[in-house]
PDB file of all heavy atoms in Angstrom:
ATOM      1  N   ASP A 292      42.580  91.469 116.381  1.00  0.00           N
ATOM      2  CA  ASP A 292      42.761  91.298 114.960  1.00  0.00           C
ATOM      3  C   ASP A 292      43.156  89.819 114.659  1.00  0.00           C
ATOM      4  O   ASP A 292      44.243  89.391 114.959  1.00  0.00           O
ATOM      5  CB  ASP A 292      43.856  92.197 114.443  1.00  0.00           C
ATOM      6  CG  ASP A 292      44.096  92.094 112.969  1.00  0.00           C
ATOM      7  OD1 ASP A 292      43.377  91.329 112.312  1.00  0.00           O
ATOM      8  OD2 ASP A 292      45.048  92.744 112.428  1.00  0.00           O
ATOM      9  N   PHE A 293      42.224  89.042 114.137  1.00  0.00           N
ATOM     10  CA  PHE A 293      42.439  87.632 113.902  1.00  0.00           C
ATOM     11  C   PHE A 293      42.603  87.370 112.422  1.00  0.00           C
ATOM     12  O   PHE A 293      42.201  86.287 111.935  1.00  0.00           O
ATOM     13  CB  PHE A 293      41.258  86.800 114.471  1.00  0.00           C
ATOM     14  CG  PHE A 293      41.103  86.882 115.969  1.00  0.00           C
ATOM     15  CD1 PHE A 293      39.847  87.217 116.503  1.00  0.00           C
ATOM     16  CD2 PHE A 293      42.137  86.680 116.803  1.00  0.00           C
ATOM     17  CE1 PHE A 293      39.707  87.266 117.915  1.00  0.00           C
ATOM     18  CE2 PHE A 293      42.004  86.744 118.192  1.00  0.00           C
ATOM     19  CZ  PHE A 293      40.773  87.024 118.732  1.00  0.00           C
ATOM     20  N   LYS A 294      43.179  88.247 111.683  1.00  0.00           N
ATOM     21  CA  LYS A 294      43.276  88.114 110.245  1.00  0.00           C
ATOM     22  C   LYS A 294      44.063  86.906 109.780  1.00  0.00           C
ATOM     23  O   LYS A 294      43.830  86.394 108.698  1.00  0.00           O
ATOM     24  CB  LYS A 294      43.918  89.365 109.638  1.00  0.00           C
ATOM     25  CG  LYS A 294      45.383  89.594 109.980  1.00  0.00           C
ATOM     26  CD  LYS A 294      45.901  90.869 109.309  1.00  0.00           C
ATOM     27  CE  LYS A 294      47.414  91.050 109.504  1.00  0.00           C
ATOM     28  NZ  LYS A 294      47.856  90.996 110.912  1.00  0.00           N
ATOM     29  N   ASP A 295      44.931  86.357 110.645  1.00  0.00           N
ATOM     30  CA  ASP A 295      45.730  85.187 110.257  1.00  0.00           C
ATOM     31  C   ASP A 295      45.088  83.889 110.616  1.00  0.00           C
ATOM     32  O   ASP A 295      45.651  82.802 110.360  1.00  0.00           O
ATOM     33  CB  ASP A 295      47.123  85.286 110.896  1.00  0.00           C
ATOM     34  CG  ASP A 295      47.977  86.389 110.313  1.00  0.00           C
ATOM     35  OD1 ASP A 295      47.781  86.695 109.115  1.00  0.00           O
ATOM     36  OD2 ASP A 295      48.776  87.004 111.060  1.00  0.00           O
ATOM     37  N   ALA A 296      43.875  83.925 111.266  1.00  0.00           N
ATOM     38  CA  ALA A 296      43.160  82.697 111.588  1.00  0.00           C
ATOM     39  C   ALA A 296      42.428  82.181 110.337  1.00  0.00           C
ATOM     40  O   ALA A 296      42.017  82.949 109.479  1.00  0.00           O
ATOM     41  CB  ALA A 296      42.203  82.950 112.740  1.00  0.00           C
ATOM     42  N   ILE A 297      42.283  80.853 110.247  1.00  0.00           N
ATOM     43  CA  ILE A 297      41.564  80.330 109.096  1.00  0.00           C
ATOM     44  C   ILE A 297      40.056  80.157 109.410  1.00  0.00           C
ATOM     45  O   ILE A 297      39.276  79.845 108.510  1.00  0.00           O
ATOM     46  CB  ILE A 297      42.146  78.938 108.680  1.00  0.00           C
ATOM     47  CG1 ILE A 297      41.978  77.870 109.744  1.00  0.00           C
ATOM     48  CG2 ILE A 297      43.600  79.130 108.248  1.00  0.00           C
ATOM     49  CD1 ILE A 297      42.358  76.486 109.268  1.00  0.00           C
ATOM     50  N   GLY A 298      39.682  80.395 110.659  1.00  0.00           N
ATOM     51  CA  GLY A 298      38.254  80.343 111.016  1.00  0.00           C
ATOM     52  C   GLY A 298      38.050  81.051 112.332  1.00  0.00           C
ATOM     53  O   GLY A 298      38.948  81.050 113.204  1.00  0.00           O
ATOM     54  N   ILE A 299      36.890  81.704 112.527  1.00  0.00           N
ATOM     55  CA  ILE A 299      36.615  82.427 113.749  1.00  0.00           C
ATOM     56  C   ILE A 299      35.212  82.037 114.216  1.00  0.00           C
ATOM     57  O   ILE A 299      34.257  82.089 113.414  1.00  0.00           O
ATOM     58  CB  ILE A 299      36.666  83.976 113.514  1.00  0.00           C
ATOM     59  CG1 ILE A 299      38.031  84.360 112.942  1.00  0.00           C
ATOM     60  CG2 ILE A 299      36.331  84.734 114.759  1.00  0.00           C
ATOM     61  CD1 ILE A 299      38.117  85.844 112.467  1.00  0.00           C
ATOM     62  N   TYR A 300      35.103  81.672 115.480  1.00  0.00           N
ATOM     63  CA  TYR A 300      33.825  81.266 116.054  1.00  0.00           C
ATOM     64  C   TYR A 300      33.594  81.907 117.435  1.00  0.00           C
ATOM     65  O   TYR A 300      34.505  82.102 118.203  1.00  0.00           O
ATOM     66  CB  TYR A 300      33.791  79.695 116.225  1.00  0.00           C
ATOM     67  CG  TYR A 300      34.133  78.914 114.999  1.00  0.00           C
ATOM     68  CD1 TYR A 300      35.479  78.450 114.789  1.00  0.00           C
ATOM     69  CD2 TYR A 300      33.171  78.612 114.087  1.00  0.00           C
ATOM     70  CE1 TYR A 300      35.781  77.695 113.687  1.00  0.00           C
ATOM     71  CE2 TYR A 300      33.495  77.838 112.971  1.00  0.00           C
ATOM     72  CZ  TYR A 300      34.741  77.384 112.765  1.00  0.00           C
ATOM     73  OH  TYR A 300      35.076  76.620 111.659  1.00  0.00           O
TER      74      TYR A 300
END
Side-chain angles (χ1 to χ4, degrees):
D292 181 4
F293 297 129
K294 67 181 187 305
D295 292 327
I297 65 171
I299 302 171
Y300 305 96

